[in-house]
Amino acid sequence: MDAPRVSIIILNWNGWKDTIECLESLYRIDYPNYDVIVVDNGSHDDSIQKIKEYAKGKIEVNSKFFKYNPNNKPIKVFEVNENEAKRGKFNRPLYEKFDVDRRMILIKNKKNYGFTGGNNIGMKFALSVLNPDYVLLLNNDTVVEKDFLKKLVKVAESDEKIGIVGPKIYYYDYNGKSNVIDFAGAYLILWRCGEKRHCFRKVDKGQCDKILEVDKVEGSCMLIKSEITTNVGLFDEKFFAYWEETDLCVRAKKEGYKLVYVPKAKIWHKIASSSGGVLSVFYVYHMTRNRFWFLIKNFPQLLKMHLLYVVLWELWLKFGVFVVYHKKPKMFFVYLKGLLDGLSLKS
């Protein structure tokens, strides 16, 4: 049986150094049937030039996770502008002549459409032009293990009701360690709009090595069956960034699909690299605002309970974290603005 086709979509926005490290790890995988689609989301640095230089073999990528491979360079880059991508204009016969590790599609968006819009453009293009069995959304600030995709696909193919699968995700660097778990599947705690992550920030000692059906697969690496895009839809672009993958997971479960965590598939993630980190204005605002949008959209009956939780506990916790501990009172006001905009459904 032929291996199912997987179109891998990597979103870049002013982050070419992370992107080429991710690409170098991808072009080492042992899966035989994949596409690499880099979607540049309107970068205003020299990302496009640098990615093309990497593909020509002019930039040697150094990483603690692998040695640079010069033997699969040059990689043929097929450049597609945003309008061409939306129209599905592409020379597929020429593209198919190249080996999977010697080709790349580079979609050049006019502007930054966020995580949601950028990935949606990539998915629509892949689905219309390449007809894959799966799309894999992969953050550009990740590094993958050689066999991660083979293991994800194996589990996804084991049950027709499995719609989305995700790997074990380690911190790229957690106080010098690369074996600390960031994500091993999660269950949603809806009344506080939170989640319970298995083995969160624990050194991996095999304690989270069981395949699990979960409520959420982390958006930094999601293998999605193509039929999901038809029966459930793509990302809700209103979110722009953050909570969009949780929204997609909830919608998929409502349609009867299973979400599964695959522990033997492994990647490493730098965490919020493109948005400036977890203490950036962008991250704090969008994470706060969007969770209210998520709750109002999917579970409006829980809104009053969540507001009670915020008033009695979270406000004081955030004050302590931002003002007392980090000495960043500005971030507390960013958090408050996120609360107000989320409740008013202001975008």
Side-chain angles (χ1 to χ4, degrees):
M1 181 184 293
D2 293 335
R5 185 169 193 152
V6 181
S7 290
I8 303 170
I9 298 167
I10 301 169
L11 193 63
N12 177 81
W13 182 69
N14 300 326
W16 66 267
K17 290 182 180 179
D18 288 335
T19 298
I20 63 173
E21 184 180 7
C22 178
L23 288 170
E24 183 67 14
S25 73
L26 260 182
Y27 282 117
R28 301 165 57 84
I29 64 175
D30 59 6
Y31 194 75
N33 192 12
Y34 66 92
D35 312 288
V36 174
I37 303 171
V38 177
V39 180
D40 184 78
N41 224 7
S43 293
H44 47 72
D45 65 356
D46 52 358
S47 279
I48 290 176
Q49 175 188 341
K50 292 296 185 181
I51 290 168
K52 291 195 292 185
E53 287 179 7
Y54 157 77
K56 292 177 181 177
K58 293 183 177 181
I59 302 177
E60 184 171 323
V61 180
N62 296 307
S63 176
K64 63 181 179 179
F65 294 99
F66 55 77
K67 292 182 180 179
Y68 177 69
N69 177 21
N71 297 321
N72 65 346
K73 313 297 185 305
I75 296 167
K76 172 66 173 176
V77 177
F78 291 81
E79 295 185 60
V80 181
N81 64 42
E82 180 184 327
N83 290 334
E84 291 170 335
K86 289 179 176 178
R87 297 199 312 268
K89 184 180 179 182
F90 186 68
N91 190 346
R92 181 171 175 177
L94 177 61
Y95 170 80
E96 298 286 4
K97 292 180 179 180
F98 290 83
D99 293 337
V100 294
D101 64 343
R102 301 296 292 267
R103 66 192 188 189
M104 178 198 307
I105 298 170
L106 177 59
I107 297 175
K108 299 175 291 185
N109 285 345
K110 297 174 185 176
K111 63 179 184 178
N112 182 5
Y113 296 106
F115 186 85
T116 55
N119 274 307
N120 280 355
I121 288 173
M123 284 191 280
K124 288 175 183 177
F125 172 84
L127 293 163
S128 65
V129 172
L130 302 173
N131 194 30
D133 301 285
Y134 295 87
V135 290
L136 177 80
L137 304 184
L138 184 68
N139 272 26
N140 73 315
D141 60 344
T142 59
V143 170
V144 303
E145 196 165 64
K146 185 176 181 179
D147 61 356
F148 92 110
L149 187 53
K150 183 182 290 185
K151 291 176 176 176
L152 287 175
V153 171
K154 182 180 179 180
V155 172
E157 288 285 284
S158 69
D159 184 345
E160 65 179 11
K161 294 307 295 180
I162 293 177
I164 305 175
V165 299
K168 180 185 290 181
I169 303 175
Y170 298 98
Y171 286 93
Y172 183 93
D173 190 325
Y174 190 90
N175 297 327
K177 298 177 181 179
S178 56
N179 63 343
V180 178
I181 297 171
D182 172 57
F183 193 83
Y187 297 116
L188 298 180
I189 306 172
L190 293 171
W191 64 270
R192 65 177 179 85
C193 226
E195 60 189 38
K196 181 182 179 181
R197 293 191 174 193
H198 300 289
C199 301
F200 182 54
R201 292 182 180 169
K202 303 290 185 182
V203 172
D204 188 4
K205 297 179 180 178
Q207 69 273 48
C208 272
D209 280 355
K210 182 179 179 182
I211 294 175
L212 295 173
E213 187 175 343
V214 294
D215 289 337
K216 177 186 172 183
V217 170
E218 177 66 35
S220 57
C221 185
M222 305 176 81
L223 182 69
I224 305 169
K225 279 185 178 172
S226 293
E227 68 179 71
I228 288 277
T229 63
T230 300
N231 299 335
V232 178
L234 302 176
F235 285 138
D236 183 341
E237 295 187 16
K238 182 179 179 181
F239 287 102
F240 194 79
Y242 303 119
W243 283 93
E244 71 289 318
E245 85 272 33
T246 310
D247 174 66
L248 180 63
C249 287
V250 165
R251 287 189 280 130
K253 289 199 75 170
K254 286 181 178 179
E255 291 295 326
Y257 289 99
K258 298 177 182 178
L259 316 177
V260 177
Y261 156 68
V262 184
K264 290 186 178 180
K266 301 174 182 179
I267 73 166
W268 289 262
H269 187 202
K270 294 173 186 175
I271 314 295
S273 178
S274 62
S275 62
V278 296
L279 286 176
S280 68
V281 170
F282 183 92
Y283 181 88
V284 171
Y285 174 78
H286 284 85
M287 282 292 286
T288 305
R289 183 197 67 178
N290 289 1
R291 80 168 198 247
F292 279 95
W293 286 1
F294 164 80
L295 199 65
I296 292 168
K297 175 182 177 181
N298 294 289
F299 304 100
Q301 70 274 16
L302 296 176
L303 181 60
K304 289 182 180 179
M305 183 180 296
H306 182 61
L307 284 173
L308 187 63
Y309 160 77
V310 169
V311 171
L312 295 180
W313 171 250
E314 188 183 83
L315 275 170
W316 312 105
L317 176 65
K318 295 296 185 182
F319 180 87
V321 169
F322 292 135
V323 178
V324 179
Y325 183 75
H326 287 292
K327 312 294 184 186
K328 292 187 175 183
K330 175 185 175 181
M331 299 312 301
F332 183 67
F333 289 103
V334 171
Y335 160 76
L336 290 178
K337 187 176 188 314
L339 286 178
L340 294 174
D341 288 352
L343 282 170
S344 65
L345 298 179
K346 182 179 178 181
S347 59

